[in-house]
Each structure stands twice: as C-alpha cells, then as structure tokens.
Amino acid sequence: MRTIPGGVAPRERPPGPTRLQEVTDFGANPGNLRMCTYVPRNPQRALVVVLHGCTQTAASYDLGAGWSTLADRYGFMLLLPEQRAENNPKTCFNWFRENDITRGQGEAASIRQMITTMAIEHDVDPRRVFITGLSAGGGMTAVMLATYPEVFAAGAIIAGLPYRSATSTRQALESMFRVRVRTPREWGDLVRAASPHAGPWPRVSVWHGGADTVVKPKNAEELLKQWTDVHGLGTQATRTETVDGYPRHVWTDASGEVVIESYIIPLMPHGTPLASGDGDESYGVPGEYLIEVGISSSYHIACFWGLTEKRPAASRPRRTAESSAATQRVVEARPAKGSEPTPAPVRAEVIEQPGPGDVPPPRAGRSEGPGESAGAGRDKARKSGVSAFVEGAIKRALEAAGMMKRR
C-alpha cells in the first residue's frame, strides 16, 4: 500500500486544504476508483465509509458534511472512495449500472477491496464498519449494503434510492423523477438475492428532503419498504419522536433494538442536512447541496451507529475565521453566473445525477448569525430552501444535460 500525503492527485485536487491521504496500490480495482482515507490520532478501530455525490470530491464532501471533524472527536477512521471522470463525466458513482452494482464486480468490488485494505492496515474491528453517502453516493450505499451485508454493521442513505431501482440510465432517470414502486417483498427479495448472506442484516438510517426535486422523496418510502421487509418488519414505524425540531421515525426489532430510522426534512431540497457552527452537535459547512437546516445528519448518523457513546477521543478544535473561509471555498466553488455547463466536472459543485432534467444546485440556507435563536435560523434556512426549490424548478425547465455513459 502506498499513500500520497495531502489527498487526491494534483490534477483533480479541489481548491483549498484537504486532510485526506490518497492510497494507491490497494489491490483489485475493477471499478477504477480512487481511495482516500483519514486516520485520526489514537483511532478506536471503527471505520466509516463515506461516498460523495456527483461532481463532488471525497475532500469537498468530507469538509462540507464534517466527517473528519467527527472522526477527530470520536476516534473512528474514514475511508472515502472517489469517482473518476473517466468512469462518469459528472463523477457520480454508477449506482444504476449492472456491472457496478453486482457483488464481486466493478465499483462495488473496488469499494470492498478498499475496506479490506483498511482492515488489514489499521486493525479495523469487523463488527464496527459503517457506510453512508449522498444522492449517487446514497444509491451506491444501498448497493453496498445489499451486495456485502456481512461487511457492515449499519449504513445511512441520504437522498438516495433503493437497491436495483435502476439497472440502466433510462431507468435511473425514471426512478429519480417518477419513482419506481414495488411491494415490500419485491424490494426485499432484490436484497436477499444480491449475496449469499442470510442475516443478520445491517441497520439502516434514511434521510431525505421533503422538497427534493432531483430524487423524489417517495424514493425514501421505497427504501424503507425494502429494508423493513429485509428485517422482517412492517412498514408502520414503531414510534415517532422529535429530534432537533424534526420527526424521527423508528422501527425496532423483537428485542427492542432500533434497526431502522428515517428523517424527512420538510421544505428541504436535495442535499445533506447540516447544523453548522461550533456546538457539540454541529458539524459541516453549508454549500451546494450541503444545506443548513438546524440538524446535523452526520452527527445523528454517528449517534445511531453508536460511535458517540464512548468518551470523545479529543476535544473539538474551534473553527477560526481563516479556516472557515478556506473550507467555504472548497465546498462552495461554482462557475461564474451565466456560464455554460461543460462536460468536465466542477469538482466542488454538487450537480446531482445524470441526464436531461438535471436540476441546478439550490443555494444553501444561511447559518445562524449573532443574536439569532436556533429556531429563527432554521426558519430562515427553510425559507431559503423554498426559494431554491422554485428557482431550481424554473431552471430545470430551461436546462438539460447529456446522458451519462462510461467512456
């Protein structure tokens, strides 16, 4: 195994700093992906796999969602696979291509090999491996949970789709915008047929914006139908509670353990929910498809996985104005207004998903300013999300991108 300090290759490195290291020569790589990692001081043997969205990099999504900050605080290690433009012009993970979503093949096999490499090099506890992703990364998270369920204790799918909701570009577009509906048993059978595994199954967290026009929110319902069936549960939640002002639906097994949870954030467009700031439950920096709504999905996902139960591994560093500005530049870089879209990825912009009808990225809500209450900040974020939703719908009618295909 060979590492490159400072992260991704120079020709694809985003502007600003990165905390990641690239690992090369990690073994079989049939999906032609890049492997990036972050290992904090005194790691606690748990591993979190983080999958970025389209046109993002591993580094930009890490900074935007706050995962390496969480890793510093709680001691878990990070693996951040990164897509290459040679595989997909928008650097989306190919969650809808047969050769990439089958056990032992393509991108799924590459990610599995990266996990094996991390396990060997860093003595990862095989009972404490987790995975999460946004949009195309969320779709690939569903792929990994289905094709390698024995590897993961749990996963979290943000603005994603069920496993095998699509096996072609055309089906991907239909699933995203029109939603593919199946019975719970039909969805569950697709997971059970994806590997020889017979259980126990990974626990699953599902997050989605209620105003998402890129991946329709009903996809979250179909995801929940898939995983409740896999766990042998009904579609009706065991209970509903409120977390940071938002409803959390919970499904428990026969022993009372929470095995599935879901958050639908009303009025939030497509993206990862954030609560930015310096509080103990605030992580990430708002940017394109990294949306300030007053709840940190990264933090609450880590809680759901049990990674925050032990004493923090280190005090959380306070963000300075200089470091915040640098981070903001990484996750908010975008083309000049009025510029024409190009096939080459804008590495820190997040334009999710392939084909005609791509929605331009909504602008993130503003974080709370001095003297604003959490509720006031959240209300402003929600209003901003509505404006972005309307603007996106108009632009979507005017703009179209080319179909994705492997070169």
Side-chain angles (χ1 to χ4, degrees):
M1 183 177 74
R2 185 167 70 242
T3 62
I4 301 175
V8 297
R11 68 181 180 85
E12 296 194 31
R13 183 176 298 170
T18 176
R19 312 178 74 190
L20 308 183
Q21 288 189 325
E22 183 178 1
V23 176
T24 61
D25 301 331
F26 55 84
N29 187 16
N32 190 36
L33 301 179
R34 177 172 285 115
M35 175 180 177
C36 299
T37 66
Y38 181 73
V39 179
R41 295 181 181 179
N42 303 315
Q44 303 300 305
R45 298 189 65 206
L47 176 65
V48 174
V49 183
V50 180
L51 302 177
H52 63 78
C54 299
T55 71
Q56 289 178 312
T57 63
S60 68
Y61 189 65
D62 169 51
L63 289 168
W67 277 106
S68 61
T69 305
L70 273 161
D72 281 337
R73 185 166 177 78
Y74 294 104
F76 52 81
M77 294 172 279
L78 295 176
L79 163 62
L80 299 100
E82 185 174 274
Q83 183 60 283
R84 297 175 186 265
E86 305 94 277
N87 301 333
N88 186 293
K90 293 185 179 180
T91 63
C92 308
F93 289 102
N94 289 306
W95 57 272
F96 53 89
R97 293 197 180 279
E98 189 75 46
N99 290 341
D100 288 309
I101 66 173
T102 301
R103 184 181 174 104
Q105 297 183 31
E107 292 175 13
S110 291
I111 295 169
R112 176 66 181 97
Q113 179 62 37
M114 294 178 195
I115 295 169
T116 299
T117 298
M118 287 292 291
I120 294 170
E121 294 294 323
H122 299 285
D123 191 28
V124 173
D125 183 344
R127 300 166 300 178
R128 302 179 70 203
V129 179
F130 309 89
I131 187 168
T132 183
L134 165 66
S135 194
M140 187 56 73
T141 295
V143 168
M144 296 305 297
L145 290 172
T147 55
Y148 295 99
E150 76 281 7
V151 172
F152 302 103
I157 301 165
I158 305 172
L161 303 95
Y163 174 63
R164 296 191 76 85
S165 56
T167 55
S168 69
T169 302
R170 181 184 62 80
Q171 289 181 8
L173 295 172
E174 291 175 353
S175 296
M176 289 160 53
F177 299 125
R178 296 177 187 159
V179 185
R180 178 158 297 198
V181 177
R182 290 187 170 103
T183 67
R185 174 56 65 87
E186 288 171 337
W187 281 125
D189 284 346
L190 290 172
V191 172
R192 285 183 284 268
S195 78
H197 188 66
W201 299 96
R203 297 183 299 124
V204 178
S205 179
V206 175
W207 294 71
H208 220 107
D212 191 334
T213 59
V214 180
V215 179
K216 290 294 182 66
K218 189 169 173 54
N219 280 291
E221 296 179 26
E222 300 304 303
L223 263 170
L224 291 168
K225 285 162 62 174
Q226 185 166 64
W227 284 99
T228 52
D229 185 77
V230 168
H231 280 276
L233 304 173
T235 55
Q236 185 68 36
T238 306
R239 68 175 185 271
T240 300
E241 54 199 33
T242 300
V243 177
D244 289 349
Y246 294 103
R248 178 195 185 220
H249 302 287
V250 171
W251 285 258
T252 60
D253 62 13
S255 67
E257 180 185 10
V258 176
V259 292
I260 298 174
E261 67 170 7
S262 76
Y263 289 82
I264 305 298
I265 309 300
L267 303 183
M268 192 188 87
H270 190 65
T272 293
L274 305 182
S276 58
D278 291 317
D280 288 344
E281 298 183 8
S282 301
Y283 294 86
V285 176
E288 305 298 353
Y289 289 116
L290 295 155
I291 303 170
E292 172 62 65
V293 290
I295 183 170
S296 169
S297 54
S298 301
Y299 172 76
H300 287 289
I301 288 166
C303 290
F304 176 65
W305 292 341
L307 294 177
T308 63
E309 292 176 358
K310 295 183 179 181
R311 184 175 180 178
S315 298
R316 177 174 178 170
R318 191 169 185 84
R319 187 161 47 226
T320 65
E322 181 179 356
S323 65
S324 293
T327 301
Q328 195 80 3
R329 286 194 298 273
V330 172
V331 279
E332 289 196 322
R334 61 179 69 88
K337 184 177 181 181
S339 62
E340 294 294 324
T342 63
V346 181
R347 299 296 297 177
E349 184 187 355
V350 187
I351 303 177
E352 294 295 334
Q353 305 299 344
D358 274 355
V359 180
R363 298 185 65 83
R366 184 172 65 86
S367 58
E368 297 163 20
E372 289 184 321
S373 67
R378 187 178 297 128
D379 288 342
K380 290 186 178 181
R382 288 173 177 167
K383 290 177 182 177
S384 175
V386 174
S387 297
F389 169 67
V390 174
E391 179 183 357
I394 294 171
K395 289 185 179 180
R396 177 178 165 190
L398 300 175
E399 295 184 359
M403 298 293 284
M404 280 198 315
K405 59 184 179 181
R406 188 182 295 276
R407 292 180 177 179

PDB file of all heavy atoms in Angstrom, residues 51-84:
ATOM      1  N   LEU A  51     -19.366   8.161   0.905  1.00  0.00           N
ATOM      2  CA  LEU A  51     -19.452   8.244  -0.550  1.00  0.00           C
ATOM      3  C   LEU A  51     -20.038   9.592  -0.969  1.00  0.00           C
ATOM      4  O   LEU A  51     -21.179   9.919  -0.608  1.00  0.00           O
ATOM      5  CB  LEU A  51     -20.313   7.108  -1.091  1.00  0.00           C
ATOM      6  CG  LEU A  51     -19.849   5.692  -0.737  1.00  0.00           C
ATOM      7  CD1 LEU A  51     -20.841   4.662  -1.271  1.00  0.00           C
ATOM      8  CD2 LEU A  51     -18.458   5.418  -1.300  1.00  0.00           C
ATOM      9  N   HIS A  52     -19.277  10.359  -1.738  1.00  0.00           N
ATOM     10  CA  HIS A  52     -19.698  11.699  -2.156  1.00  0.00           C
ATOM     11  C   HIS A  52     -20.775  11.637  -3.234  1.00  0.00           C
ATOM     12  O   HIS A  52     -21.084  10.584  -3.797  1.00  0.00           O
ATOM     13  CB  HIS A  52     -18.483  12.474  -2.673  1.00  0.00           C
ATOM     14  CG  HIS A  52     -17.839  11.873  -3.889  1.00  0.00           C
ATOM     15  ND1 HIS A  52     -18.357  12.022  -5.163  1.00  0.00           N
ATOM     16  CD2 HIS A  52     -16.716  11.111  -4.040  1.00  0.00           C
ATOM     17  CE1 HIS A  52     -17.591  11.396  -6.037  1.00  0.00           C
ATOM     18  NE2 HIS A  52     -16.586  10.819  -5.383  1.00  0.00           N
ATOM     19  N   GLY A  53     -21.351  12.802  -3.541  1.00  0.00           N
ATOM     20  CA  GLY A  53     -22.329  12.918  -4.614  1.00  0.00           C
ATOM     21  C   GLY A  53     -21.674  13.312  -5.932  1.00  0.00           C
ATOM     22  O   GLY A  53     -20.453  13.463  -6.029  1.00  0.00           O
ATOM     23  N   CYS A  54     -22.478  13.496  -6.962  1.00  0.00           N
ATOM     24  CA  CYS A  54     -21.971  13.835  -8.291  1.00  0.00           C
ATOM     25  C   CYS A  54     -21.216  15.161  -8.279  1.00  0.00           C
ATOM     26  O   CYS A  54     -21.622  16.113  -7.620  1.00  0.00           O
ATOM     27  CB  CYS A  54     -23.123  13.931  -9.283  1.00  0.00           C
ATOM     28  SG  CYS A  54     -24.051  12.407  -9.491  1.00  0.00           S
ATOM     29  N   THR A  55     -20.133  15.217  -9.041  1.00  0.00           N
ATOM     30  CA  THR A  55     -19.222  16.359  -9.217  1.00  0.00           C
ATOM     31  C   THR A  55     -18.533  16.792  -7.930  1.00  0.00           C
ATOM     32  O   THR A  55     -17.762  17.739  -7.943  1.00  0.00           O
ATOM     33  CB  THR A  55     -19.914  17.575  -9.875  1.00  0.00           C
ATOM     34  OG1 THR A  55     -20.815  18.181  -8.976  1.00  0.00           O
ATOM     35  CG2 THR A  55     -20.571  17.201 -11.175  1.00  0.00           C
ATOM     36  N   GLN A  56     -18.798  16.129  -6.826  1.00  0.00           N
ATOM     37  CA  GLN A  56     -18.027  16.366  -5.606  1.00  0.00           C
ATOM     38  C   GLN A  56     -16.745  15.547  -5.628  1.00  0.00           C
ATOM     39  O   GLN A  56     -16.600  14.605  -6.407  1.00  0.00           O
ATOM     40  CB  GLN A  56     -18.837  15.965  -4.366  1.00  0.00           C
ATOM     41  CG  GLN A  56     -19.997  16.875  -4.054  1.00  0.00           C
ATOM     42  CD  GLN A  56     -20.757  16.365  -2.857  1.00  0.00           C
ATOM     43  OE1 GLN A  56     -21.090  15.196  -2.774  1.00  0.00           O
ATOM     44  NE2 GLN A  56     -21.055  17.249  -1.929  1.00  0.00           N
ATOM     45  N   THR A  57     -15.839  15.895  -4.749  1.00  0.00           N
ATOM     46  CA  THR A  57     -14.689  15.052  -4.455  1.00  0.00           C
ATOM     47  C   THR A  57     -14.855  14.475  -3.058  1.00  0.00           C
ATOM     48  O   THR A  57     -15.697  14.922  -2.270  1.00  0.00           O
ATOM     49  CB  THR A  57     -13.383  15.867  -4.488  1.00  0.00           C
ATOM     50  OG1 THR A  57     -13.439  16.855  -3.451  1.00  0.00           O
ATOM     51  CG2 THR A  57     -13.181  16.535  -5.837  1.00  0.00           C
ATOM     52  N   ALA A  58     -14.024  13.511  -2.743  1.00  0.00           N
ATOM     53  CA  ALA A  58     -14.001  12.994  -1.379  1.00  0.00           C
ATOM     54  C   ALA A  58     -13.700  14.123  -0.397  1.00  0.00           C
ATOM     55  O   ALA A  58     -14.328  14.234   0.661  1.00  0.00           O
ATOM     56  CB  ALA A  58     -12.945  11.891  -1.264  1.00  0.00           C
ATOM     57  N   ALA A  59     -12.740  14.989  -0.756  1.00  0.00           N
ATOM     58  CA  ALA A  59     -12.330  16.063   0.152  1.00  0.00           C
ATOM     59  C   ALA A  59     -13.427  17.100   0.346  1.00  0.00           C
ATOM     60  O   ALA A  59     -13.682  17.550   1.469  1.00  0.00           O
ATOM     61  CB  ALA A  59     -11.062  16.740  -0.378  1.00  0.00           C
ATOM     62  N   SER A  60     -14.107  17.509  -0.730  1.00  0.00           N
ATOM     63  CA  SER A  60     -15.126  18.544  -0.587  1.00  0.00           C
ATOM     64  C   SER A  60     -16.316  18.052   0.221  1.00  0.00           C
ATOM     65  O   SER A  60     -16.881  18.780   1.036  1.00  0.00           O
ATOM     66  CB  SER A  60     -15.587  19.066  -1.955  1.00  0.00           C
ATOM     67  OG  SER A  60     -16.296  18.078  -2.675  1.00  0.00           O
ATOM     68  N   TYR A  61     -16.699  16.780   0.027  1.00  0.00           N
ATOM     69  CA  TYR A  61     -17.821  16.263   0.802  1.00  0.00           C
ATOM     70  C   TYR A  61     -17.436  16.051   2.267  1.00  0.00           C
ATOM     71  O   TYR A  61     -18.233  16.296   3.177  1.00  0.00           O
ATOM     72  CB  TYR A  61     -18.362  14.964   0.209  1.00  0.00           C
ATOM     73  CG  TYR A  61     -19.657  14.543   0.876  1.00  0.00           C
ATOM     74  CD1 TYR A  61     -20.791  15.327   0.745  1.00  0.00           C
ATOM     75  CD2 TYR A  61     -19.728  13.398   1.664  1.00  0.00           C
ATOM     76  CE1 TYR A  61     -21.982  14.974   1.380  1.00  0.00           C
ATOM     77  CE2 TYR A  61     -20.907  13.036   2.290  1.00  0.00           C
ATOM     78  CZ  TYR A  61     -22.029  13.834   2.145  1.00  0.00           C
ATOM     79  OH  TYR A  61     -23.198  13.493   2.781  1.00  0.00           O
ATOM     80  N   ASP A  62     -16.206  15.622   2.507  1.00  0.00           N
ATOM     81  CA  ASP A  62     -15.741  15.485   3.890  1.00  0.00           C
ATOM     82  C   ASP A  62     -15.823  16.813   4.625  1.00  0.00           C
ATOM     83  O   ASP A  62     -16.371  16.901   5.725  1.00  0.00           O
ATOM     84  CB  ASP A  62     -14.305  14.964   3.915  1.00  0.00           C
ATOM     85  CG  ASP A  62     -13.683  15.060   5.299  1.00  0.00           C
ATOM     86  OD1 ASP A  62     -14.313  14.583   6.265  1.00  0.00           O
ATOM     87  OD2 ASP A  62     -12.586  15.630   5.415  1.00  0.00           O
ATOM     88  N   LEU A  63     -15.296  17.864   4.012  1.00  0.00           N
ATOM     89  CA  LEU A  63     -15.321  19.173   4.650  1.00  0.00           C
ATOM     90  C   LEU A  63     -16.744  19.692   4.806  1.00  0.00           C
ATOM     91  O   LEU A  63     -17.111  20.248   5.835  1.00  0.00           O
ATOM     92  CB  LEU A  63     -14.475  20.161   3.852  1.00  0.00           C
ATOM     93  CG  LEU A  63     -12.969  19.943   3.908  1.00  0.00           C
ATOM     94  CD1 LEU A  63     -12.262  20.776   2.859  1.00  0.00           C
ATOM     95  CD2 LEU A  63     -12.430  20.267   5.298  1.00  0.00           C
ATOM     96  N   GLY A  64     -17.566  19.519   3.760  1.00  0.00           N
ATOM     97  CA  GLY A  64     -18.922  20.035   3.816  1.00  0.00           C
ATOM     98  C   GLY A  64     -19.795  19.331   4.834  1.00  0.00           C
ATOM     99  O   GLY A  64     -20.595  19.968   5.525  1.00  0.00           O
ATOM    100  N   ALA A  65     -19.671  18.006   4.939  1.00  0.00           N
ATOM    101  CA  ALA A  65     -20.510  17.234   5.858  1.00  0.00           C
ATOM    102  C   ALA A  65     -19.894  17.085   7.247  1.00  0.00           C
ATOM    103  O   ALA A  65     -20.570  16.649   8.182  1.00  0.00           O
ATOM    104  CB  ALA A  65     -20.800  15.852   5.272  1.00  0.00           C
ATOM    105  N   GLY A  66     -18.601  17.410   7.381  1.00  0.00           N
ATOM    106  CA  GLY A  66     -17.969  17.421   8.703  1.00  0.00           C
ATOM    107  C   GLY A  66     -17.487  16.091   9.225  1.00  0.00           C
ATOM    108  O   GLY A  66     -17.237  15.944  10.427  1.00  0.00           O
ATOM    109  N   TRP A  67     -17.269  15.107   8.342  1.00  0.00           N
ATOM    110  CA  TRP A  67     -16.942  13.772   8.835  1.00  0.00           C
ATOM    111  C   TRP A  67     -15.574  13.679   9.513  1.00  0.00           C
ATOM    112  O   TRP A  67     -15.427  13.013  10.539  1.00  0.00           O
ATOM    113  CB  TRP A  67     -17.052  12.741   7.714  1.00  0.00           C
ATOM    114  CG  TRP A  67     -18.466  12.289   7.523  1.00  0.00           C
ATOM    115  CD1 TRP A  67     -19.324  12.619   6.524  1.00  0.00           C
ATOM    116  CD2 TRP A  67     -19.210  11.450   8.418  1.00  0.00           C
ATOM    117  NE1 TRP A  67     -20.557  12.030   6.726  1.00  0.00           N
ATOM    118  CE2 TRP A  67     -20.511  11.310   7.881  1.00  0.00           C
ATOM    119  CE3 TRP A  67     -18.907  10.797   9.614  1.00  0.00           C
ATOM    120  CZ2 TRP A  67     -21.503  10.548   8.495  1.00  0.00           C
ATOM    121  CZ3 TRP A  67     -19.892  10.030  10.228  1.00  0.00           C
ATOM    122  CH2 TRP A  67     -21.172   9.916   9.674  1.00  0.00           C
ATOM    123  N   SER A  68     -14.562  14.347   8.973  1.00  0.00           N
ATOM    124  CA  SER A  68     -13.241  14.229   9.617  1.00  0.00           C
ATOM    125  C   SER A  68     -13.207  14.967  10.960  1.00  0.00           C
ATOM    126  O   SER A  68     -12.450  14.585  11.858  1.00  0.00           O
ATOM    127  CB  SER A  68     -12.128  14.723   8.693  1.00  0.00           C
ATOM    128  OG  SER A  68     -12.281  16.074   8.357  1.00  0.00           O
ATOM    129  N   THR A  69     -14.032  16.001  11.109  1.00  0.00           N
ATOM    130  CA  THR A  69     -14.136  16.661  12.414  1.00  0.00           C
ATOM    131  C   THR A  69     -14.756  15.706  13.432  1.00  0.00           C
ATOM    132  O   THR A  69     -14.302  15.604  14.577  1.00  0.00           O
ATOM    133  CB  THR A  69     -14.975  17.943  12.300  1.00  0.00           C
ATOM    134  OG1 THR A  69     -14.417  18.785  11.289  1.00  0.00           O
ATOM    135  CG2 THR A  69     -14.990  18.700  13.619  1.00  0.00           C
ATOM    136  N   LEU A  70     -15.802  15.002  13.027  1.00  0.00           N
ATOM    137  CA  LEU A  70     -16.384  13.976  13.887  1.00  0.00           C
ATOM    138  C   LEU A  70     -15.375  12.875  14.194  1.00  0.00           C
ATOM    139  O   LEU A  70     -15.309  12.380  15.331  1.00  0.00           O
ATOM    140  CB  LEU A  70     -17.615  13.364  13.203  1.00  0.00           C
ATOM    141  CG  LEU A  70     -18.955  14.052  13.423  1.00  0.00           C
ATOM    142  CD1 LEU A  70     -19.946  13.629  12.347  1.00  0.00           C
ATOM    143  CD2 LEU A  70     -19.502  13.757  14.811  1.00  0.00           C
ATOM    144  N   ALA A  71     -14.591  12.485  13.200  1.00  0.00           N
ATOM    145  CA  ALA A  71     -13.586  11.435  13.403  1.00  0.00           C
ATOM    146  C   ALA A  71     -12.550  11.860  14.430  1.00  0.00           C
ATOM    147  O   ALA A  71     -12.122  11.056  15.271  1.00  0.00           O
ATOM    148  CB  ALA A  71     -12.914  11.099  12.071  1.00  0.00           C
ATOM    149  N   ASP A  72     -12.133  13.115  14.381  1.00  0.00           N
ATOM    150  CA  ASP A  72     -11.196  13.617  15.391  1.00  0.00           C
ATOM    151  C   ASP A  72     -11.792  13.531  16.787  1.00  0.00           C
ATOM    152  O   ASP A  72     -11.126  13.160  17.740  1.00  0.00           O
ATOM    153  CB  ASP A  72     -10.829  15.078  15.089  1.00  0.00           C
ATOM    154  CG  ASP A  72      -9.791  15.209  13.996  1.00  0.00           C
ATOM    155  OD1 ASP A  72      -9.045  14.242  13.763  1.00  0.00           O
ATOM    156  OD2 ASP A  72      -9.726  16.284  13.380  1.00  0.00           O
ATOM    157  N   ARG A  73     -13.049  13.884  16.899  1.00  0.00           N
ATOM    158  CA  ARG A  73     -13.687  13.944  18.215  1.00  0.00           C
ATOM    159  C   ARG A  73     -13.960  12.564  18.804  1.00  0.00           C
ATOM    160  O   ARG A  73     -13.786  12.344  20.002  1.00  0.00           O
ATOM    161  CB  ARG A  73     -14.985  14.743  18.131  1.00  0.00           C
ATOM    162  CG  ARG A  73     -15.675  14.956  19.483  1.00  0.00           C
ATOM    163  CD  ARG A  73     -16.730  16.018  19.389  1.00  0.00           C
ATOM    164  NE  ARG A  73     -17.442  16.194  20.656  1.00  0.00           N
ATOM    165  CZ  ARG A  73     -16.984  16.855  21.713  1.00  0.00           C
ATOM    166  NH1 ARG A  73     -15.786  17.411  21.656  1.00  0.00           N
ATOM    167  NH2 ARG A  73     -17.702  16.964  22.808  1.00  0.00           N
ATOM    168  N   TYR A  74     -14.370  11.630  17.949  1.00  0.00           N
ATOM    169  CA  TYR A  74     -14.797  10.323  18.460  1.00  0.00           C
ATOM    170  C   TYR A  74     -13.875   9.169  18.087  1.00  0.00           C
ATOM    171  O   TYR A  74     -14.125   8.033  18.484  1.00  0.00           O
ATOM    172  CB  TYR A  74     -16.232  10.038  18.009  1.00  0.00           C
ATOM    173  CG  TYR A  74     -17.217  11.003  18.642  1.00  0.00           C
ATOM    174  CD1 TYR A  74     -17.756  12.059  17.910  1.00  0.00           C
ATOM    175  CD2 TYR A  74     -17.564  10.893  19.986  1.00  0.00           C
ATOM    176  CE1 TYR A  74     -18.639  12.964  18.501  1.00  0.00           C
ATOM    177  CE2 TYR A  74     -18.439  11.782  20.583  1.00  0.00           C
ATOM    178  CZ  TYR A  74     -18.968  12.813  19.832  1.00  0.00           C
ATOM    179  OH  TYR A  74     -19.823  13.708  20.423  1.00  0.00           O
ATOM    180  N   GLY A  75     -12.846   9.428  17.313  1.00  0.00           N
ATOM    181  CA  GLY A  75     -11.783   8.444  17.143  1.00  0.00           C
ATOM    182  C   GLY A  75     -11.972   7.399  16.075  1.00  0.00           C
ATOM    183  O   GLY A  75     -11.145   6.485  15.963  1.00  0.00           O
ATOM    184  N   PHE A  76     -13.016   7.473  15.235  1.00  0.00           N
ATOM    185  CA  PHE A  76     -13.165   6.463  14.196  1.00  0.00           C
ATOM    186  C   PHE A  76     -12.371   6.871  12.951  1.00  0.00           C
ATOM    187  O   PHE A  76     -12.011   8.026  12.755  1.00  0.00           O
ATOM    188  CB  PHE A  76     -14.638   6.217  13.844  1.00  0.00           C
ATOM    189  CG  PHE A  76     -15.437   7.448  13.514  1.00  0.00           C
ATOM    190  CD1 PHE A  76     -15.382   8.040  12.261  1.00  0.00           C
ATOM    191  CD2 PHE A  76     -16.274   8.022  14.477  1.00  0.00           C
ATOM    192  CE1 PHE A  76     -16.119   9.162  11.956  1.00  0.00           C
ATOM    193  CE2 PHE A  76     -17.029   9.151  14.187  1.00  0.00           C
ATOM    194  CZ  PHE A  76     -16.942   9.719  12.919  1.00  0.00           C
ATOM    195  N   MET A  77     -12.095   5.885  12.101  1.00  0.00           N
ATOM    196  CA  MET A  77     -11.345   6.116  10.868  1.00  0.00           C
ATOM    197  C   MET A  77     -12.305   6.308   9.697  1.00  0.00           C
ATOM    198  O   MET A  77     -13.456   5.871   9.755  1.00  0.00           O
ATOM    199  CB  MET A  77     -10.418   4.927  10.596  1.00  0.00           C
ATOM    200  CG  MET A  77      -9.311   4.783  11.633  1.00  0.00           C
ATOM    201  SD  MET A  77      -8.374   3.237  11.433  1.00  0.00           S
ATOM    202  CE  MET A  77      -9.463   2.065  12.261  1.00  0.00           C
ATOM    203  N   LEU A  78     -11.808   6.963   8.649  1.00  0.00           N
ATOM    204  CA  LEU A  78     -12.624   7.235   7.470  1.00  0.00           C
ATOM    205  C   LEU A  78     -11.994   6.632   6.217  1.00  0.00           C
ATOM    206  O   LEU A  78     -10.777   6.706   6.019  1.00  0.00           O
ATOM    207  CB  LEU A  78     -12.774   8.744   7.246  1.00  0.00           C
ATOM    208  CG  LEU A  78     -13.517   9.555   8.298  1.00  0.00           C
ATOM    209  CD1 LEU A  78     -13.469  11.033   7.923  1.00  0.00           C
ATOM    210  CD2 LEU A  78     -14.960   9.079   8.452  1.00  0.00           C
ATOM    211  N   LEU A  79     -12.833   6.060   5.389  1.00  0.00           N
ATOM    212  CA  LEU A  79     -12.478   5.661   4.029  1.00  0.00           C
ATOM    213  C   LEU A  79     -13.411   6.422   3.103  1.00  0.00           C
ATOM    214  O   LEU A  79     -14.635   6.343   3.245  1.00  0.00           O
ATOM    215  CB  LEU A  79     -12.658   4.156   3.850  1.00  0.00           C
ATOM    216  CG  LEU A  79     -12.712   3.641   2.406  1.00  0.00           C
ATOM    217  CD1 LEU A  79     -11.405   3.920   1.675  1.00  0.00           C
ATOM    218  CD2 LEU A  79     -13.051   2.148   2.376  1.00  0.00           C
ATOM    219  N   LEU A  80     -12.838   7.172   2.160  1.00  0.00           N
ATOM    220  CA  LEU A  80     -13.642   7.984   1.249  1.00  0.00           C
ATOM    221  C   LEU A  80     -13.292   7.632  -0.201  1.00  0.00           C
ATOM    222  O   LEU A  80     -12.387   8.223  -0.791  1.00  0.00           O
ATOM    223  CB  LEU A  80     -13.411   9.483   1.498  1.00  0.00           C
ATOM    224  CG  LEU A  80     -13.785   9.947   2.914  1.00  0.00           C
ATOM    225  CD1 LEU A  80     -12.537  10.068   3.778  1.00  0.00           C
ATOM    226  CD2 LEU A  80     -14.537  11.263   2.880  1.00  0.00           C
ATOM    227  N   PRO A  81     -13.973   6.636  -0.778  1.00  0.00           N
ATOM    228  CA  PRO A  81     -13.757   6.335  -2.191  1.00  0.00           C
ATOM    229  C   PRO A  81     -14.114   7.552  -3.042  1.00  0.00           C
ATOM    230  O   PRO A  81     -15.000   8.331  -2.679  1.00  0.00           O
ATOM    231  CB  PRO A  81     -14.722   5.175  -2.456  1.00  0.00           C
ATOM    232  CG  PRO A  81     -14.971   4.571  -1.103  1.00  0.00           C
ATOM    233  CD  PRO A  81     -14.948   5.723  -0.157  1.00  0.00           C
ATOM    234  N   GLU A  82     -13.422   7.700  -4.168  1.00  0.00           N
ATOM    235  CA  GLU A  82     -13.696   8.837  -5.047  1.00  0.00           C
ATOM    236  C   GLU A  82     -13.839   8.361  -6.484  1.00  0.00           C
ATOM    237  O   GLU A  82     -13.035   7.565  -6.976  1.00  0.00           O
ATOM    238  CB  GLU A  82     -12.574   9.873  -4.944  1.00  0.00           C
ATOM    239  CG  GLU A  82     -12.846  11.149  -5.739  1.00  0.00           C
ATOM    240  CD  GLU A  82     -11.792  12.212  -5.497  1.00  0.00           C
ATOM    241  OE1 GLU A  82     -11.939  12.963  -4.520  1.00  0.00           O
ATOM    242  OE2 GLU A  82     -10.822  12.279  -6.276  1.00  0.00           O
ATOM    243  N   GLN A  83     -14.876   8.861  -7.143  1.00  0.00           N
ATOM    244  CA  GLN A  83     -15.126   8.513  -8.544  1.00  0.00           C
ATOM    245  C   GLN A  83     -14.174   9.285  -9.455  1.00  0.00           C
ATOM    246  O   GLN A  83     -13.668  10.351  -9.096  1.00  0.00           O
ATOM    247  CB  GLN A  83     -16.588   8.841  -8.903  1.00  0.00           C
ATOM    248  CG  GLN A  83     -17.011   8.469 -10.302  1.00  0.00           C
ATOM    249  CD  GLN A  83     -16.879   6.983 -10.596  1.00  0.00           C
ATOM    250  OE1 GLN A  83     -15.764   6.489 -10.832  1.00  0.00           O
ATOM    251  NE2 GLN A  83     -18.003   6.269 -10.576  1.00  0.00           N
ATOM    252  N   ARG A  84     -13.925   8.718 -10.628  1.00  0.00           N
ATOM    253  CA  ARG A  84     -13.085   9.366 -11.634  1.00  0.00           C
ATOM    254  C   ARG A  84     -13.939   9.784 -12.821  1.00  0.00           C
ATOM    255  O   ARG A  84     -14.906   9.101 -13.187  1.00  0.00           O
ATOM    256  CB  ARG A  84     -11.990   8.409 -12.124  1.00  0.00           C
ATOM    257  CG  ARG A  84     -10.997   7.964 -11.053  1.00  0.00           C
ATOM    258  CD  ARG A  84     -10.048   6.938 -11.655  1.00  0.00           C
ATOM    259  NE  ARG A  84      -9.159   6.371 -10.668  1.00  0.00           N
ATOM    260  CZ  ARG A  84      -7.920   6.805 -10.415  1.00  0.00           C
ATOM    261  NH1 ARG A  84      -7.458   7.852 -11.075  1.00  0.00           N
ATOM    262  NH2 ARG A  84      -7.166   6.215  -9.516  1.00  0.00           N
TER     263      ARG A  84
END
